[in-house]
């Protein structure tokens, strides 16, 4: 394998330092025969990505230079059939120099050349959010962080900014502090997901492109003309596509920036007011107000509530389940007068767990907060993703029960 020159002391990128030259054996081949000879010698022809196997011959327009394996020291190392063909065709064996510069090497090769081998897991991976490459560098890589950012910027033409996460997600407004390692400082970006376009300031709101599968999974559960209450809506990854599909969505976020971008995305995707109603409130207050607003919109004399509640705030969403305690107590008589009893809403609550028994851990936490057990036979515990060693994200989906939502008069 070829590799660039090592520069373990380098922390400021010097692209000129990664120029190198290597020699390989080659054959001078008549231009008209070069394709057939290349095929016949396929086992011994140079096979390195991003290096051409056939190059012009500087000494003649009638011939081409066919490069041989770079590990060959002498033609005697060739396969017997190859040696015989070279002799029969009277092909000239020559030395050929290949000059490689910074543009040839991959991100991983450059970073391996500057970061000592004693440090494991060279950080080449990133999450792309529009024009932004988002990294989560370990502290051991901080001496090289600007260099890492610049190399990623150089090697990915659709990236114009490289940023590094500085702390954990703010649990109040759901965004993290970041630093720009290289490129543009403009953090307003646009992404496409679930058939919609989303614009937002990545430095002020929460967005995780790795959750697109989970977004799509829940969106597919919502049926046209159903009503969904999205308690922690962010910039709208659930709310916007659902509303575009004909679902009526009440969408809330405590972060004023998220609320503003939610409205931008509503307009950007041409969602009518009748399908998406944005709010900027505390989650508990929003649940209570949304339920009351929906009931009032229906006249208050017939049963009407949400089909789904979405609670995508995995750090703390379970703590907000107490908002459902006795939530419908003023509609208890109306509910009990109906036969058959109306279907109650389903709650989709995202959470983290480190337990070896996730199902038991999550069930206990949910039931402790909401004040009663849920029906395990109609619930669903869905694994979303691993976020850290021994830390997984799940979504518990369960129907609210009369015991949860009705209670004595306060």
């Amino acid at each position: 394998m070829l590799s660039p020159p090592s520069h373990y002391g380098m922390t400021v990128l010097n692209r000129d330092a990664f120029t190198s030259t290597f020699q390989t054996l080659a054959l001078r081949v008549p231009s008209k025969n070069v394709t057939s000879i290349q095929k016949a010698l396929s086992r011994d022809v140079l096979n390195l990505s991003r290096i051409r196997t056939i190059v012009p011959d500087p000494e003649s327009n009638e011939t081409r230079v066919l490069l041989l394996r770079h590990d060959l020291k002498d033609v005697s190392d060739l396969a017997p059939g190859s040696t015989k063909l070279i002799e029969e065709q009277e092909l000239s064996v020559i030395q050929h120099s290949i000059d490689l510069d910074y543009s040839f090497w991959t991100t991983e090769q450059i970073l391996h050349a500057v970061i000592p081998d004693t440090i494991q897991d060279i950080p080449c991976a990133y999450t792309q959010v529009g024009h932004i490459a988002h990294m989560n560098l370990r502290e051991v890589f901080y001496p090289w962080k600007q260099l890492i950012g610049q190399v990623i910027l150089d090697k990915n033409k659709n990236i114009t900014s490289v940023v590094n996460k500085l702390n954990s997600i703010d649990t109040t407004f759901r965004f993290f502090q970041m630093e720009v390692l290289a490129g543009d400082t403009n953090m307003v970006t646009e992404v496409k997901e679930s058939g919609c376009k989303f614009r937002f300031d990545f430095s002020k709101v929460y967005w995780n492109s790795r959750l697109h599968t989970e977004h799509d999974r829940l969106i597919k559960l919502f049926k046209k003309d159903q009503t969904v209450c999205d308690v922690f809506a962010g910039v709208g990854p659930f709310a916007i596509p659902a509303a575009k599909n004909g679902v009526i969505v009440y969408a809330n976020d405590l972060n004023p920036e998220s609320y503003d971008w939610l409205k931008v995305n509503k307009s950007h995707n041409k969602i009518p007011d009748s399908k998406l109603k944005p709010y900027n409130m505390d989650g508990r207050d929003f649940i209570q107000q949304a339920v009351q607003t929906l009931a009032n919109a229906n006249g208050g004399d017939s049963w009407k509530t949400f089909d789904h509640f979405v609670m995508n705030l995995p750090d703390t969403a379970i703590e907000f389940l107490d908002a459902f305690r006795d939530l419908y107590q003023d509609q208890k008589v109306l509910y009990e007068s109906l036969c058959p009893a109306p279907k109650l809403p389903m709650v989709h609550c995202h959470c983290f767990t480190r337990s070896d028994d996730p199902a038991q851990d999550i069930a206990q936490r949910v039931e402790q907060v909401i004040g009663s057990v849920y029906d395990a036979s109609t619930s669903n515990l869905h694994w979303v993703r691993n976020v850290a060693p021994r830390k997984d994200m799940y979504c518990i989906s369960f129907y609210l029960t009369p015991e949860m939502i009705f209670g004595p008069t306060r």
Side-chain angles (χ1 to χ4, degrees):
M1 294 293 294
L2 296 177
S3 59
S6 296
H7 297 283
Y8 291 146
M10 182 183 293
T11 55
V12 178
L13 182 62
N14 177 7
R15 297 175 183 83
D16 293 338
F18 297 99
T19 298
S20 67
T21 300
F22 79 94
Q23 301 284 329
T24 188
L25 293 179
L27 301 176
R28 182 169 282 122
V29 180
S31 299
K32 62 181 181 181
N33 298 333
V34 68
T35 302
S36 60
I37 291 176
Q38 179 187 18
K39 184 176 180 180
L41 298 176
S42 58
R43 292 178 57 186
D44 290 310
V45 169
L46 182 71
N47 184 22
L48 290 175
S49 61
R50 293 170 289 123
I51 296 181
R52 296 172 59 189
T53 303
I54 301 171
V55 298
D57 186 348
E59 297 187 7
S60 172
N61 292 328
E62 302 297 321
T63 56
R64 294 288 183 270
V65 174
L66 177 63
L67 307 185
L68 300 178
R69 298 195 332 255
H70 69 288
D71 61 317
L72 290 174
K73 303 300 181 184
D74 188 85
V75 289
S76 61
D77 296 328
L78 292 167
S82 298
T83 304
K84 182 179 179 181
L85 179 63
I86 292 171
E87 293 174 351
E88 291 176 347
Q89 297 288 330
E90 298 181 345
L91 303 177
S92 299
V93 180
I94 61 175
Q95 287 280 343
H96 182 79
S97 295
I98 298 179
D99 296 321
L100 302 176
D101 60 15
Y102 173 78
S103 65
F104 174 78
W105 309 110
T106 66
T107 299
E108 185 174 7
Q109 287 172 320
I110 293 292
L111 297 186
H112 272 291
V114 299
I115 300 174
D117 293 339
T118 53
I119 302 178
Q120 302 297 312
D121 302 323
I122 299 299
C124 301
Y126 59 85
T127 300
Q128 186 168 345
V129 183
H131 69 275
I132 303 167
H134 164 223
M135 307 192 74
N136 187 7
L137 292 177
R138 291 187 287 129
E139 192 170 347
V140 68
F141 295 112
Y142 280 10
W144 298 276
K145 60 184 180 180
Q146 270 79 30
L147 184 149
I148 292 169
Q150 189 61 56
V151 174
I152 288 176
L153 190 69
D154 290 344
K155 300 297 182 179
N156 298 275
K157 300 309 178 185
N158 57 343
I159 296 293
T160 60
S161 298
V162 183
V163 302
N164 180 44
K165 174 181 174 181
L166 288 179
N167 60 8
S168 59
I169 294 171
D170 181 289
T171 55
T172 303
F173 286 158
R174 304 180 74 201
F175 69 92
F176 50 79
Q177 297 296 319
M178 64 178 69
E179 61 179 337
V180 177
L181 301 181
D184 194 349
T185 59
N186 175 26
M187 294 293 104
V188 176
T189 189
E190 181 172 298
V191 300
K192 294 181 181 179
E193 183 178 289
S194 304
C196 299
K197 294 180 180 179
F198 296 89
R199 285 179 57 81
F200 49 86
D201 186 331
F202 188 53
S203 67
K204 296 180 179 179
V205 305
Y206 178 79
W207 179 273
N208 190 334
S209 298
R210 295 176 181 176
L211 291 175
H212 68 92
T213 301
E214 177 65 2
H215 296 154
D216 287 341
R217 183 185 74 88
L218 284 188
I219 291 165
K220 290 176 182 177
L221 297 179
F222 310 149
K223 308 303 180 185
K224 185 178 180 181
D225 295 326
Q226 284 190 330
T227 310
V228 171
C229 185
D230 191 351
V231 184
F232 311 110
V235 300
F238 290 111
I240 298 294
K244 192 172 182 177
N245 292 341
V247 178
I248 301 169
V249 185
Y250 288 55
N252 171 72
D253 204 275
L254 180 63
N255 183 351
E257 289 284 343
S258 296
Y259 170 69
D260 288 341
W261 286 109
L262 174 63
K263 293 189 294 183
V264 168
N265 292 324
K266 174 187 174 184
S267 175
H268 197 43
N269 289 278
K270 300 180 180 178
I271 307 296
D273 292 344
S274 61
K275 293 300 181 183
L276 180 60
K277 306 177 188 302
Y279 291 80
N280 178 210
M281 301 175 64
D282 169 77
R284 288 184 181 85
D285 295 339
F286 168 66
I287 291 172
Q288 295 173 1
Q289 178 168 320
V291 166
Q292 192 62 51
T293 300
L294 184 59
N296 293 341
N298 201 47
D301 55 357
S302 60
W303 178 265
K304 177 62 177 177
T305 191
F306 292 99
D307 297 284
H308 301 269
F309 286 88
V310 179
M311 305 180 71
N312 181 29
L313 185 65
D315 264 335
T316 59
I318 286 179
E319 298 173 18
F320 285 80
L321 292 175
D322 59 3
F324 294 107
R325 289 190 179 191
D326 308 341
L327 180 63
Y328 293 85
Q329 63 169 341
D330 59 342
Q331 299 182 57
K332 182 177 180 181
V333 173
L334 173 61
Y335 176 84
E336 292 178 342
S337 69
L338 300 174
C339 187
K343 193 174 184 180
L344 293 178
M346 172 166 272
V347 176
H348 308 277
C349 182
H350 292 87
C351 57
F352 294 132
T353 181
R354 296 181 182 273
S355 174
D356 293 330
D357 189 345
Q360 181 181 21
D361 172 59
I362 293 169
Q364 288 178 346
R365 289 158 57 197
V366 168
E367 291 168 356
Q368 181 179 7
V369 174
I370 207 167
S372 59
V373 299
Y374 58 79
D375 184 353
S377 66
T378 59
S379 68
N380 175 58
L381 183 63
H382 176 77
W383 180 85
V384 179
R385 69 187 188 102
N386 175 258
V387 296
R390 292 186 56 79
K391 183 179 180 181
D392 290 312
M393 179 177 173
Y394 281 85
C395 178
I396 176 66
S397 298
F398 62 92
Y399 284 102
L400 294 175
T401 66
E403 291 75 18
M404 295 173 185
I405 64 173
F406 301 127
T409 303
R410 294 183 176 123

